[in-house]
Amino acid sequence: MNLNAPLQVLRRLNLSDLRQHPMMKDPVSLTALGISLVLNILTLGVMLVKVHQVDYPVPVHYLSLIGFDQVGPWYQNYRIAAFGFAVTIINALLAGQSFQRNRLTSFFLLIGAVAVGLLCLVIGSEFAAII
């Protein structure tokens, strides 16, 4: 597996090409992408404001049947915000690839990123309140 392939794709990606993509002219796609980014920024903001460095292990995982089943370092809760950004970026790239072939698939990917962003905001807020 070539690990340099993603870097080569990023090097070839030109900002002007991104602006000229048909998805960037579609108001529904831009709205969904914008909402997802705002939700992820809010999640990161809540985590930055509420999660502080502590010397003791904090809850980092929750199961509804058991409760808190894992503890770890305070910074491990930032995985929630990182996951939201990762899903948004991956879904936006996939939506861009599928936009010209099937716009409905593109919309579902972007709406899915909004749903994940909202869930990350709720989960991140709750974990931040516990710490």
Side-chain angles (χ1 to χ4, degrees):
M1 182 175 163
N2 186 4
L3 296 177
N4 290 327
L7 292 175
Q8 292 171 355
V9 170
L10 287 175
R11 286 184 192 131
R12 286 185 301 192
L13 186 63
N14 192 356
L15 191 57
S16 63
D17 292 342
L18 183 64
R19 289 182 185 159
Q20 294 175 0
H21 194 279
M23 190 174 86
M24 293 297 135
K25 294 175 179 69
D26 183 50
V28 175
S29 297
L30 284 178
T31 302
L33 186 59
I35 291 170
S36 180
L37 287 173
V38 166
L39 288 171
N40 288 319
I41 291 170
L42 283 173
T43 303
L44 184 60
V46 166
M47 300 295 271
L48 288 172
V49 169
K50 298 241 181 184
V51 176
H52 300 291
Q53 184 175 359
V54 293
D55 295 332
Y56 50 87
V58 297
V60 294
H61 191 261
Y62 181 83
L63 288 175
S64 60
L65 296 175
I66 301 171
F68 293 107
D69 63 339
Q70 289 180 3
V71 293
W74 62 273
Y75 55 83
Q76 204 166 8
N77 283 316
Y78 285 103
R79 292 181 307 168
I80 299 165
F83 178 74
F85 277 112
V87 167
T88 298
I89 291 169
I90 291 169
N91 279 11
L93 291 173
L94 291 173
Q97 291 290 321
S98 69
F99 185 79
Q100 292 177 337
R101 284 182 248 149
N102 189 352
R103 289 179 63 193
L104 187 60
T105 303
S106 174
F107 294 148
F108 279 127
L109 283 165
L110 293 172
I111 296 301
V114 170
V116 169
L118 183 61
L119 288 172
C120 286
L121 178 61
V122 170
I123 293 168
S125 298
E126 293 303 318
F127 270 99
I130 292 170
I131 297 175

